Amino acid sequence: MKNPLILGAGPAGCAAAIALARSGAKPLIVERTRETGDALCGGFVSWQTLAQLERLGVGGLEAHPIAEVRVFHREQRATARLPDLAIGVSRHRLDTVMQGLAQRAGATLERGIAARSYADGILKTDSRDFVPEALFLATGKHDVRGFGRPKPTGDAPMGLRIRLAPHPALRKLLVHAIELHLFEGGYAGLLLQEDDSANLCMALRKSRFTEAAGDAATLLRQLGGAHPQLGERLAFLTGAPAADAIAAVPYGWRTDTTEAGLFRLGDQAAVIPSLAGEGMGIAIASGAAAAAAYLEGGPAAAPQFQRNFAARTRRPVAVASMLWHQGERPAMARMAVPLLGAFPALAGFAARMTRIGD
């Protein structure tokens, strides 16, 4: 068996590397960053994804347990139990643990190599060219020329992430919960991570950010003023917020096509709206499934893998997209909280419908 090449050392790429290495392959992981950072990500790992991580042998996350979801809109609030226990964990912790496990299993990790393009079986990077038998494309939100995803037009969605430093009072507010704050033109997810810092991850329309003069601090002041319960949490920010941002996120996109030898993983296979909290679930599931397909059928298995994985993501992506679009509408946002308060089982139903299928 030749050595497959994995482009990207995030959860998708590492899941593939662990599964491949444990079956006798010697995968090479190529990662553009020189150090493991904290990627723009909501940090929510569902009960289903936890089971997948356990099968891969991933442990030692020391993550924050999450048992319920809270939904807010202005002064309104509703709480519901999740179907099972989930966790909040930073991408820095998850990626570090998975990278270490992949290397111990037999994978090689080379850092500081940025991909430029992929065509005719050749991956061009800023340092050298690779001609892999099989390429696992796991670059997350970063496209590779030749296999770029469609760019949203018009008032495109964007992502924004801000970290709130640990504070005992903030921990008391957020303990054992994930929060979803709805506002006109977007929403914010908030949860505690393994070090008791809070991860605030927002998806919003470009126009909403433009209204705030393209400034994260101004946007947070506006949102905190209009939504007092979100404002209570934002009060724990000290100084100017350091924000990670990404523009033109193609929420709702999936692909069922590829070429022999190219396995598209994670956000390069399907982009689920972040309010579902299933982005990391899709990443890890895609890596494990692609590795299994390659081990059984070699590079020629890629097209069938992509069709199968697109089918698995059809329902969760469609349901999450519907919830996202409805939640953006002010009238629906006002109705959502009292509806959930009256029928808390709806939260569990929505959570199950937005998990990736087996």
Side-chain angles (χ1 to χ4, degrees), residues 111-332:
R111 308 195 70 119
I113 301 175
R116 298 305 182 199
S117 65
Y118 180 71
D120 300 324
I122 303 172
L123 176 68
K124 294 184 177 294
T125 75
D126 55 1
S127 60
R128 64 185 189 272
D129 293 350
F130 296 88
V131 187
E133 178 198 39
L135 174 65
F136 291 75
L137 185 61
T139 54
K141 296 175 176 64
H142 302 277
D143 290 339
V144 174
R145 192 172 65 207
F147 288 89
R149 301 164 301 170
K151 296 295 184 184
T153 58
D155 194 8
M158 61 176 292
L160 196 67
R161 189 188 74 90
I162 295 161
R163 178 181 175 273
L164 284 70
H167 191 285
L170 181 61
R171 175 183 168 80
K172 187 175 180 180
L173 281 172
L174 300 178
V175 67
H176 296 160
I178 181 171
E179 295 189 346
L180 184 63
H181 295 262
L182 307 177
F183 55 85
E184 186 173 355
Y187 55 86
L190 183 63
L191 53 72
L192 291 175
Q193 301 180 134
E194 70 280 351
D195 62 351
D196 276 353
S197 65
N199 190 46
L200 178 71
C201 197
M202 291 189 283
L204 67 159
R205 295 289 176 177
K206 180 182 177 181
S207 60
R208 188 69 183 82
F209 195 54
T210 302
E211 289 173 11
D215 178 67
T218 301
L219 174 67
L220 295 179
R221 284 196 299 270
Q222 292 176 350
L223 292 176
H227 301 268
Q229 296 179 98
L230 178 58
E232 182 182 9
R233 283 115 176 105
L234 294 176
F236 290 96
L237 277 171
T238 56
D244 299 316
I246 188 164
V249 182
Y251 287 133
W253 174 84
R254 296 179 302 122
T255 185
D256 61 0
T257 59
T258 189
E259 61 184 49
L262 178 65
F263 297 81
R264 300 185 64 136
L265 312 182
D267 278 352
Q268 292 295 318
V271 186
I272 191 168
S274 56
L275 87 170
E278 188 65 350
M280 283 198 281
I282 286 176
I284 292 164
S286 67
Y294 171 79
L295 291 167
E296 182 176 347
Q304 186 61 53
F305 155 77
Q306 215 69 62
R307 288 190 291 270
N308 291 343
F309 196 74
R312 289 178 64 187
T313 56
R314 180 181 296 113
R315 186 199 66 204
V317 170
V319 173
S321 296
M322 182 272 292
L323 293 173
W324 163 46
H325 289 302
Q326 293 299 318
E328 284 188 313
R329 298 168 58 187
M332 292 302 297

Side-chain angles (χ1 to χ4, degrees), residues 47-81:
W47 49 97
Q48 186 168 294
T49 304
L50 282 173
Q52 181 77 66
L53 288 172
E54 185 177 352
R55 288 192 290 272
L56 288 170
V58 177
L61 295 176
E62 301 174 2
H64 182 79
I66 296 174
E68 64 183 31
V69 58
R70 301 171 190 156
V71 182
F72 300 82
H73 181 258
R74 296 191 182 275
E75 292 81 10
Q76 298 175 320
R77 166 179 170 156
T79 301
R81 299 287 294 183

